[in-house]
């Protein structure tokens, strides 16, 4: 039985509908959504908007802004979950949004984006996330960690095929950081880490979720 939030993707072509369904099956997006706080939520690298759909399904008081540099994906998101009046999707960078709307968000979520972009982009992205959050606001980073396991090797090849063979994702560099490296970037960007949890069990990717906040 597909998750009820996936109903919003019914208007999309079959291939895109199955992509969204698959995305929810292979990543713990419901667990990520469960950690979101407040009503104004930013989903950085939102893709088709699967996480946004879960967020809006779980709490109808939420307003979710999704941004992604991939114009094709933003069009799919607008044609599906974007029909919800509480959803807004834009093809722009986080730095552009930070210049326009500082302090507007209660929660910023970055799910499976850092592993697709070069390390030199991490700090500007995380600093822009801090600018966009109100004091005390929450940052959720969900990524795959390099834990040396078979899951990390499998997930790395999966990302390479998704980007270079299937052309399904925009990427500047593919690679997983260790949990310690991820933690260092998050704290160096001025966040305080509240918890780190592995969601590898039951999945074939070494998912890890950081919950952090901007000190008030
Ligand atoms: C694996 S998908 C994850 C999509 C969504 N966050 C989810 O969890 O379902 C990675 C997304 O990151 C986007 N992306 C790539 N480079 C980015 C960047 N510099 N800033 C924000 N998003 C980026 C890609 O276009 C793609 O939609």
């Amino acid at each position: 039985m597909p998750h009820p939030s996936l109903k919003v993707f019914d208007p999309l072509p079959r291939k895109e509908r199955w992509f969204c369904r698959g995305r929810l099956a292979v990543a713990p997006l419901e667990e990520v959504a469960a950690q979101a706080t407040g009503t104004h939520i930013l989903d950085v690298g939102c893709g088709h908007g699967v996480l946004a759909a879960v967020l809006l399904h779980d709490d109808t008081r939420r307003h979710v802004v999704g941004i992604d540099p991939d114009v094709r994906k933003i069009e799919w998101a607008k044609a599906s979950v974007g029909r919800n009046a509480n959803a807004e999707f834009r093809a722009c960078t986080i730095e552009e949004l930070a210049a326009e709307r500082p302090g507007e968000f209660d929660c910023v979520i970055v799910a499976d984006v850092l592993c697709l972009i070069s390390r030199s982009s991490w700090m500007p992205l995380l600093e822009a996330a801090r600018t966009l959050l109100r004091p005390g606001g929450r940052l959720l980073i969900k990524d795959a960690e390099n834990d040396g396991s078979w899951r990390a090797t499998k997930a790395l090849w999966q990302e390479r095929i998704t980007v270079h063979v299937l052309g399904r994702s925009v990427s500047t560099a593919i690679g997983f950081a260790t949990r310690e490296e991820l933690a260092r970037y998050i704290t160096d960007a001025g966040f305080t880490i509240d918890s780190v949890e592995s969601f590898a069990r039951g999945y074939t990717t070494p998912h890890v979720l950081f919950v952090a906040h901007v000190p008030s």
Side-chain angles (χ1 to χ4, degrees):
M1 182 72 176
H3 191 270
S5 66
L6 291 168
K7 186 98 189 103
V8 294
F9 297 102
D10 281 357
L12 299 191
R14 186 197 303 238
K15 190 173 160 195
E16 304 307 321
R17 283 204 311 272
W18 277 98
F19 182 87
C20 295
R21 203 165 161 165
R23 181 74 198 133
L24 200 49
V26 301
L29 299 183
E30 290 170 71
E31 287 83 351
V32 175
Q35 292 294 334
T37 44
T39 51
H40 282 67
I41 300 174
L42 174 64
D43 182 4
V44 180
C46 61
H48 288 64
V50 177
L51 177 59
V54 175
L55 286 162
L56 291 165
H57 173 269
D58 288 353
D59 189 340
T60 53
R61 291 166 303 177
R62 285 175 173 153
H63 182 95
V64 179
V65 177
I67 60 169
D68 200 292
D70 190 334
V71 176
R72 297 166 307 174
K73 289 192 179 178
I74 289 295
E75 289 308 316
W76 294 130
K78 282 182 177 171
S80 52
V81 59
R83 293 176 170 200
N84 184 322
N86 285 346
E88 183 188 340
F89 290 100
R90 281 181 55 182
C92 71
T93 66
I94 188 170
E95 289 86 356
E96 284 164 352
L97 197 71
E100 285 173 31
R101 294 157 80 161
E104 182 174 314
F105 295 91
D106 300 308
C107 182
V108 171
I109 308 178
V110 186
D112 290 333
V113 174
L114 296 181
C115 60
L116 288 177
I117 63 175
S118 60
R119 294 284 170 95
S120 60
S121 314
W122 285 21
M123 198 47 79
L125 186 151
L126 291 168
E127 284 173 353
R130 206 188 59 214
T131 302
L132 284 155
L133 281 165
R134 63 165 176 76
R138 176 171 278 197
L139 173 73
L140 299 177
I141 299 281
K142 147 73 193 82
D143 219 88
E145 63 176 321
N146 181 3
D147 59 359
S149 68
W150 64 269
R151 286 186 175 90
T153 307
K154 179 241 111 194
L156 200 53
W157 278 104
Q158 186 176 318
E159 291 302 341
R160 288 177 179 146
I161 291 167
T162 304
V163 171
H164 298 304
V165 180
L166 303 177
R168 295 282 313 181
S169 214
V170 168
S171 169
T172 48
I174 303 172
F176 302 145
T178 62
R179 191 179 290 206
E180 293 70 29
E181 286 172 316
L182 284 160
R184 204 175 319 121
Y185 275 93
I186 294 168
T187 49
D188 285 355
F191 292 94
T192 301
I193 295 174
D194 301 308
S195 67
V196 188
E197 193 173 354
S198 166
F199 287 98
R201 216 179 151 161
Y203 292 97
T204 61
T205 295
H207 300 294
V208 65
L209 175 64
F210 286 81
V211 179
H213 71 273
V214 185
S216 312

